[in-house]
Amino acid sequence: QVQLVNSGGGLVQAGGSLRLSCAASGRAFSSHAIGWFRQAPGKEREFVATISASGAITDYADSVKGRFTISRDNAKSTVFLQMNSLKPEDTAVYYCAARRGTIHYTRAGYDYWGQGTQVTVSS
């Protein structure tokens, strides 16, 4: 069982930056891949980024590639999503999720979810 707590959201102007955190508690965090997803009003929850259990492998949605960076500190059981050059279309609730095994790109592949944190980017 893994419990996840999201934090770091807020209101930022276009072009600005935010860093989201996903703090985990429970067993064997370092054996879980982590994904970040986001959901804008009236839209489906979509994949943003993922990182392997060791941190050696990362991947991103095309819409955020080059602007967002996912990283993790297994000693602190925390995963980060650094978001730069933010755009109004990045406005959404952001969720982290965990799964045992390899990275994954769909919601159904994850077993544990954080509560979400709101990111609002003004134009």
Side-chain angles (χ1 to χ4, degrees):
Q1 188 82 4
V2 175
Q3 294 83 40
L4 303 174
V5 177
N6 299 144
S7 63
L11 173 63
V12 64
Q13 289 188 331
S17 298
L18 283 174
R19 189 175 81 155
L20 306 185
S21 297
C22 174
S25 60
R27 301 181 67 180
F29 171 75
S30 60
S31 66
H32 287 71
I34 300 295
W36 282 97
F37 291 77
R38 66 186 182 186
Q39 188 166 17
K43 294 189 176 181
E44 295 283 322
R45 193 171 299 187
E46 65 176 4
F47 167 76
V48 175
T50 184
I51 187 166
S52 62
S54 69
I57 301 171
T58 60
D59 206 357
Y60 301 88
D62 287 343
S63 59
V64 307
K65 203 167 288 185
R67 300 188 297 121
F68 291 10
T69 302
I70 189 171
S71 62
R72 66 189 295 160
D73 183 344
N74 282 345
K76 296 182 178 180
S77 297
T78 304
V79 173
F80 304 98
L81 185 68
Q82 178 66 44
M83 307 187 296
N84 299 329
S85 302
L86 283 161
K87 304 175 181 179
E89 52 263 43
D90 294 319
T91 296
V93 178
Y94 284 70
Y95 301 86
C96 67
R99 70 186 301 271
R100 281 193 175 272
T102 60
I103 61 174
H104 200 77
Y105 298 89
T106 69
R107 292 178 58 183
Y110 288 85
D111 301 305
Y112 308 104
W113 289 84
Q115 85 283 9
T117 186
Q118 176 71 47
V119 172
T120 303
V121 184
S122 63
S123 57

